[in-house]
Amino acid sequence: MSFRKLLVFIFLCNTQLLLTAQITITNADMPNVNDEVLYSVKQTLPNFNASLTGPDYKWDYTSLIPDSQRVEKIVSPASTGYPFVGFITTYAMVNNNPDLFPYVLLGSTPTNNYNFYKKSATQLVINVQGSTTGTTAIPIIQNPVDVVYKFPLTYGNKDSSNSGYKNVLPGFGYFEKKQKRVNTVDGWGELKTPYGTFNTIRVKSVITVVDSIFIDSLGFGFSIPLPTRYEFKWLANGSKLPVLEIDAAGVLNLPIMTVDNVLYQDSVIADLAISLTPIPTCPLSKQGAVQTVIQGGRYPYTFKWSNGSTAPAIDNLAPGTYSVTVTDKNGKEASGTATVETTMDDLA
């Protein structure tokens, strides 16, 4: 082997190693105020196997088909309606899954729900939650705080934290929440989603919660152990938020879980639309054709023509009307019809 070929060989090997090397996540990879992340959202994932992880693992989630999309906005605490917590928090995000209990006992559903985060060099925590009941904005101070991540995050790391709060409800009693979060970085490697391929680590969180309520008028209270929650988050350098997150609910005293939330970073998926371009044919031969132009949707596409073809375009056509239904990867459909006409140019 020549010296030049040896250098090329070493370069390619080192490049491959760099592409698959384990990454480390720090506070620099977390979001800042005014960041926005577009997520595709899916409600279920029946065949999810949480045990498929480890070092230098390859996860393939390219078959995910979203139910919807939403934008996660990282905002200033001052813009949320809870400006008084800005002195102790870094940024806020809408809480899409707020605790309904105990507010439903008061006859109202909480609104304007936010999680407030404090970011430092060593950890990212949720230290305040905000909910509005009626017209009253209630900042719920977490004491102790919920430690979402401890930095730096690298494969094999494991940590735990206890968090919670006690909230007095005037004229009713009090509500108390106790939570334990156990985080484990249980895998690193290549993650593929419909959006692209990423070098990631996976953080598994096991969250156990016990709610307690005391009713003044009755003079007693009771505790409510909730099913265990599981969060699986794939993080990449500079991703701000998880590239992919899969959340699941457990069943009390049983080692099973059911996925009820899937998020992955994505691009805007435009509505699927098609247009057809017919090419005429002379009357004595089948030289007509119809070509399909697709806009929007998500590749790959499938085609179902009225003449039985499954190709993107059809040819060798006699005069007549032809229709097609195009289906994209997400199951969205668009249909169109075109008429192949007879040209008289060859008779002139």
Side-chain angles (χ1 to χ4, degrees):
M1 180 182 293
S2 69
F3 181 70
R4 178 178 293 179
K5 289 182 178 179
L6 178 61
L7 288 178
V8 171
F9 175 77
I10 293 173
F11 172 78
L12 291 175
C13 287
N14 287 339
T15 301
Q16 182 65 25
L17 288 173
L18 288 173
L19 290 174
T20 59
Q22 180 191 167
I23 64 171
T24 297
I25 298 294
T26 70
N27 69 328
D29 299 305
M30 297 295 105
N32 298 301
V33 171
N34 296 326
D35 284 338
E36 293 185 359
V37 174
L38 176 66
Y39 272 125
S40 280
V41 184
K42 182 177 176 61
Q43 300 302 318
T44 61
L45 193 60
N47 297 320
F48 175 61
N49 186 341
S51 66
L52 299 180
T53 190
D56 199 14
Y57 201 85
K58 296 185 184 300
W59 297 277
D60 189 346
Y61 285 93
T62 53
S63 62
L64 287 173
I65 299 176
D67 301 315
S68 62
Q69 290 189 308
R70 72 168 185 247
V71 176
E72 296 285 7
K73 297 182 178 181
I74 289 78
V75 301
S76 165
S79 68
T80 62
Y82 309 90
F84 32 80
V85 303
F87 296 102
I88 58 174
T89 62
T90 307
Y91 63 83
M93 292 176 58
V94 169
N95 181 2
N96 293 289
N97 298 291
D99 290 331
L100 299 180
F101 196 74
Y103 303 103
V104 291
L105 299 178
L106 304 177
S108 64
T109 300
T111 59
N112 196 37
N113 303 290
Y114 280 92
N115 285 330
F116 294 86
Y117 295 80
K118 180 68 174 180
K119 181 173 67 172
S120 70
T122 58
Q123 61 185 12
L124 178 73
V125 306
I126 298 174
N127 59 350
V128 182
Q129 290 182 311
S131 289
T132 298
T133 176
T135 59
T136 304
I138 305 173
I140 304 169
I141 308 298
Q142 303 285 309
N143 186 20
V145 299
D146 179 10
V147 181
V148 181
Y149 306 123
K150 284 189 176 181
F151 304 123
L153 284 167
T154 188
Y155 178 64
N157 284 12
K158 185 173 183 178
D159 64 80
S160 64
S161 63
N162 294 299
S163 61
Y165 59 85
K166 185 175 181 179
N167 199 17
V168 176
L169 307 173
F172 186 86
Y174 69 81
F175 172 71
E176 186 174 28
K177 184 184 190 75
K178 293 183 178 181
Q179 173 180 294
K180 182 174 183 179
R181 176 191 291 270
V182 178
N183 290 334
T184 306
V185 183
D186 67 355
W188 65 269
E190 181 184 85
L191 169 69
K192 290 184 177 181
T193 73
Y195 186 45
T197 301
F198 307 88
N199 198 11
T200 63
I201 61 172
R202 190 179 89 161
V203 181
K204 174 185 177 181
S205 299
V206 181
I207 302 169
T208 53
V209 176
V210 176
D211 288 342
S212 298
I213 191 166
F214 187 89
I215 304 173
D216 287 342
S217 61
L218 299 179
F220 74 89
F222 51 91
S223 296
I224 309 171
L226 302 182
T228 301
R229 293 291 304 172
Y230 299 89
E231 296 175 354
F232 302 89
K233 299 175 182 176
W234 284 259
L235 304 174
N237 289 137
S239 65
K240 306 297 185 180
L241 297 175
V243 176
L244 169 67
E245 177 173 346
I246 299 175
D247 301 329
V251 178
L252 285 175
N253 301 319
L254 292 175
I256 59 176
M257 64 177 71
T258 302
V259 172
D260 54 20
N261 185 49
V262 180
L263 303 168
Y264 63 92
Q265 294 192 26
D266 206 356
S267 56
V268 175
I269 303 175
D271 290 337
L272 179 65
I274 65 170
S275 61
L276 302 180
T277 303
I279 298 174
T281 179
C282 64
L284 301 179
S285 62
K286 295 181 179 181
Q287 296 177 332
V290 181
Q291 298 176 342
T292 307
V293 177
I294 299 176
Q295 294 180 327
R298 173 149 285 167
Y299 179 85
Y301 309 100
T302 59
F303 301 82
K304 185 176 182 181
W305 290 89
S306 54
N307 68 349
S309 175
T310 57
I314 51 176
D315 53 17
N316 299 321
L317 302 178
T321 299
Y322 301 87
S323 61
V324 65
T325 297
V326 179
T327 306
D328 75 353
K329 178 178 180 178
N330 295 335
K332 304 296 183 181
E333 293 185 349
S335 299
T337 299
T339 299
V340 174
E341 298 181 342
T342 301
T343 178
M344 304 301 293
D345 291 346
D346 59 335
L347 300 179

